[in-house]
Amino acid sequence: MTARRGGFITLEGGEGAGKSTVLGKVRERLAEAGIDALFTREPGGTGAGEAIRQVLLDPAYRGLCAEAELLLMFAARAQLVREVIRPALAAGRWVLSDRFTDASFAYQGGGRGQPEPRIADLERWAADGLRPDLTLLLDLPVAQGLARAGARAGAADRIEQEREDFFERVRAAYRARAAADPGRFRVIDASRPLTDVLDQVDAVLDDFFAQRGAA
Ligand code: T5A
């Protein structure tokens, strides 16, 4: 795995899809290959963003309305783009993020029913029009992802407490976005054992880095 020029890569998927696990392995492999990469996550990734994340995930704010949720996601994103991602890309680094704007289209759009044009408008100005060069969608049946997430220690956060039909809409929205933009999305079968998922991810990244001027 080798790559000379930077770019922006995101991982997306429903609850318990395995994004954090996969990104941990990718981080090790990029480090071994001597590829300079910055890893971040959403919502969060900055001081202000992590504080906003706490509000967003705290079950105490169960009554948060969909509009406030959407704006908080983009408030954290606005800060992350300007404080972390844009400067890193300008320095020629690779940036890998656990979720980005596709998550808002899937969760706040598909899940909560917020109108797509409203989210697209926020993408333009709040996220500074930034779009990933490559997005890996870790796709798996909702029940399987929720079972994985539920098997972890700790109480469910505010969004994890949603009903299964909410996550079905999230999954459908993700898959629709992937189908509409096959040039940017690669769909990974995340229902498979971890070694198999990692092989799929490696193949996609190797191919992408090769296209981006790999040695
Ligand atoms: N959100 C976020 C929005 O609503 N809108 C937005 O715009 C954004 C950016 C973030 C929440 O915010 C929402 C989405 C989320 O609800 P979070 O805690 O970051 O909260 O939630 P997730 O991103 O969903 O992270 P999770 O930790 O729940 O899931 P991951 O990272 O996808 O899964 P991971 O790696 O922790 O794996 C889950 C478990 O499964 C095992 C792991 O070991 C772990 O125990 N596992 C596997 N087991 C078997 N086979 C495999 N292939 C496995 N892969 C992982």
Side-chain angles (χ1 to χ4, degrees):
M1 215 182 244
T2 49
R4 292 203 194 99
R5 290 180 292 144
F8 184 29
I9 300 173
T10 56
L11 256 78
E12 298 281 359
E15 306 300 302
K19 300 178 311 306
S20 315
T21 308
V22 167
L23 273 175
K25 295 287 178 197
V26 169
R27 184 196 286 259
E28 284 171 20
R29 289 176 190 184
L30 294 189
E32 279 164 18
I35 296 172
D36 177 33
L38 183 148
F39 287 76
T40 190
R41 69 168 181 180
E42 283 211 326
T46 65
E50 291 293 326
I52 293 169
R53 177 189 177 90
Q54 286 189 14
V55 172
L56 279 163
L57 299 186
D58 189 340
Y61 303 118
R62 187 167 288 117
L64 197 66
C65 66
E67 289 78 5
E69 183 180 274
L70 175 64
L71 290 169
L72 285 171
M73 292 293 176
F74 271 95
R77 184 166 297 132
Q79 190 64 29
L80 181 67
V81 166
R82 289 161 181 82
E83 186 179 323
V84 175
I85 300 179
R86 284 281 192 213
L89 293 175
R93 302 184 71 187
W94 290 93
V95 178
L96 287 90
S97 184
D98 186 338
R99 300 192 183 281
F100 196 62
T101 306
D102 292 303
S104 291
F105 282 104
Y107 281 78
Q108 282 66 54
R112 302 268 188 239
Q114 287 291 293
E116 198 174 318
R118 180 176 294 176
I119 303 172
D121 195 30
L122 284 164
E123 180 183 37
R124 272 189 291 279
W125 68 268
D128 196 25
L130 180 63
R131 284 216 171 144
D133 301 298
L134 172 70
T135 297
L136 288 85
L137 173 59
L138 270 56
D139 180 57
L140 80 174
V142 168
Q144 194 180 355
L146 290 177
R148 284 185 192 169
R152 287 179 310 200
D157 65 40
R158 187 181 64 84
I159 296 177
E160 284 169 349
Q161 290 180 359
E162 283 298 329
R163 290 160 29 147
E164 201 158 320
D165 61 316
F166 171 87
F167 296 112
E168 292 291 358
R169 294 196 298 278
V170 169
R171 185 185 187 202
Y174 266 135
R175 287 162 65 102
R177 287 186 71 72
D181 192 356
R184 172 165 71 89
F185 277 90
R186 298 290 178 277
V187 181
I188 305 292
D189 180 358
S191 71
R192 308 284 305 154
L194 184 57
T195 50
D196 188 294
V197 172
L198 292 173
D199 285 346
Q200 295 177 62
V201 169
D202 276 350
V204 168
L205 291 180
D206 278 344
D207 185 45
F208 181 71
F209 286 146
Q211 284 176 21
R212 284 297 189 104

